[in-house]
Amino acid sequence: MRANQVPTEEIKREPAAFDDRVTADGRYGRTAEPGRYRLIINRACPWAHRVVITRRLMGLEDAVSLAVTDPKQEIIDGDPHWVFTEETGSPGGRDPVLGIHALREAYLAREPDYDGGVSVPGLVDVPSGHLVSNDYDRLALDMATEWDGLTREGAPDLYPETLRGEIEEIGEGVYQDVNNGVYRTGFAPDQEHYDQAVDRLFSRLDELEERLTGRRYLAGDHITMADIRLFVTLVRFDAAYHGHFKCNIRKLIEYPALWAYARDLFQTPGFGDTTRFDHIRVHYYWVHEGVNPTRIVARGPDPRQWLLPHGREALGGSPFGSGAAPGPVPEGERVPDLR
């Protein structure tokens, strides 16, 4: 969908166009090698954010380099594209490693006749410049489970075998009603579709509020992929989805447990230190002209609220289980301090 269009039917998310898997043993054809791959993201995108969080928690910053595109996108041949600009640290508007201006160039390097959509995240093979995968969920899962030998000492088990059934059951509901639910609400083509989507969204948030009232994390006693998947939508909720997408039955801050849970994660290394509220606001309010034709970018809410005490320690558990917190954010990847 073009940035200035209003949908005429309910939004449907397309499957990943490219989904090559990268593993330590190379059993799917591609081997995890330090410096071989570059992860192209946008700080505004929740689907990309879950991969960035996973990469940081697993300590893969040195193994997989990071490239950040401009939150405003650029219209090329009538369609919005993820591009590199001077404003986001790319001299001459080109990624300094891959030499490309638009992510689409990596798609076309892989498949010259490709005419589909372009999405972030995109994992790119540096030597060839070919896109390897834009399958955000598989990328995150593989980084969490299949990059043995490259992950840091003390990396958490984000996808414990004993909890995978529970994580996926929770994840399916979160994906349908929350992660994708905010988009189905914001891009609803008519009142009926909007009412259905917004009701499902807040019914699911009500269920999650109840679940998290008596437990610190969604599954088990430490952070798992279930928490990462939910966090990326929660952290954008009041800043973008509540106003811009009309997800306004309640704000996140009006849910006592969910709001405290989200702050708990935000204050955990890997979550808040990979979040840029300025990119989030600019992207959503600027790019979706069909929803916001004036392109006026909202200034609030004050992100410093995310630093308020959460009190979730009283529920037990620990963020990384038997593991440890990741080290400092690499110099070139730091986001603005909220203080």
Side-chain angles (χ1 to χ4, degrees), residues 14-279:
E14 297 178 359
F18 301 98
D19 57 0
D20 291 5
R21 293 184 61 183
V22 181
T23 61
D25 60 9
R27 66 186 183 278
Y28 297 106
R30 293 187 180 271
T31 305
E33 304 172 22
R36 179 66 186 262
Y37 304 100
R38 188 156 175 82
L39 182 65
I40 299 180
I41 65 149
N42 190 273
R43 293 286 189 189
C45 175
W47 315 102
H49 197 182
R50 66 168 69 181
V51 183
V52 176
I53 292 171
T54 305
R55 168 181 172 270
R56 170 138 170 71
L57 293 180
M58 300 307 292
L60 291 169
E61 295 103 321
D62 290 337
V64 184
S65 61
L66 188 72
V68 179
T69 58
D70 194 288
K72 286 186 177 180
Q73 295 191 300
E74 181 179 311
I75 303 300
I76 303 175
D77 296 329
D79 290 317
H81 285 272
W82 303 104
V83 298
F84 297 98
T85 63
E86 295 272 2
E87 288 74 13
T88 51
S90 298
R94 292 191 172 274
D95 178 65
V97 174
L98 299 171
I100 60 176
H101 173 59
L103 175 56
R104 186 174 187 82
E105 295 172 48
Y107 280 65
L108 295 176
R110 165 76 179 267
E111 188 176 305
D113 295 328
Y114 180 74
D115 62 358
V118 175
S119 63
V120 285
L123 189 70
V124 178
D125 177 67
V126 173
S128 67
H130 292 186
L131 185 80
V132 172
S133 176
N134 67 332
D135 187 338
Y136 59 87
D137 194 50
R138 190 72 256 171
L139 280 171
L141 286 174
D142 282 346
M143 284 186 178
T145 61
E146 297 284 355
W147 286 58
D148 299 337
L150 295 179
T151 56
R152 68 181 176 87
E153 184 177 353
D157 186 355
L158 298 175
Y159 200 52
E161 289 193 21
T162 56
L163 294 176
R164 288 182 183 180
E166 184 179 5
I167 289 170
E168 291 306 322
E169 181 180 2
I170 295 169
E172 178 63 18
V174 167
Y175 170 78
Q176 294 293 344
D177 300 334
V178 182
N179 298 148
N180 206 36
V182 293
Y183 287 89
R184 292 202 337 269
T185 302
F187 290 120
D190 52 48
Q191 189 70 48
E192 181 181 2
H193 282 92
Y194 168 79
D195 288 341
Q196 291 173 355
V198 79
D199 285 347
R200 284 181 60 179
L201 167 62
F202 281 93
S203 291
R204 183 68 64 179
L205 290 176
D206 290 345
E207 290 179 12
L208 292 166
E209 170 74 8
E210 183 176 355
R211 182 181 184 88
L212 289 165
T213 295
R215 57 187 304 158
R216 191 171 181 183
Y217 303 108
L218 284 172
D221 59 2
H222 64 83
I223 292 166
T224 66
M225 291 303 302
D227 301 296
I228 296 173
R229 290 166 175 171
L230 178 58
F231 173 81
V232 296
T233 297
L234 295 184
V235 79
R236 289 160 174 78
F237 202 88
D238 288 2
Y241 305 140
H242 179 270
H244 183 57
F245 278 175
K246 305 181 185 70
C247 301
N248 58 1
I249 292 177
R250 280 177 293 282
K251 295 179 179 178
L252 175 63
I253 62 172
E254 295 172 15
Y255 282 101
L258 270 174
W259 174 223
Y261 162 82
R263 296 201 313 280
D264 186 5
L265 292 178
F266 185 88
Q267 294 169 32
T268 299
F271 291 83
D273 57 21
T274 58
T275 301
R276 282 203 66 161
F277 287 108
D278 55 343
H279 282 210

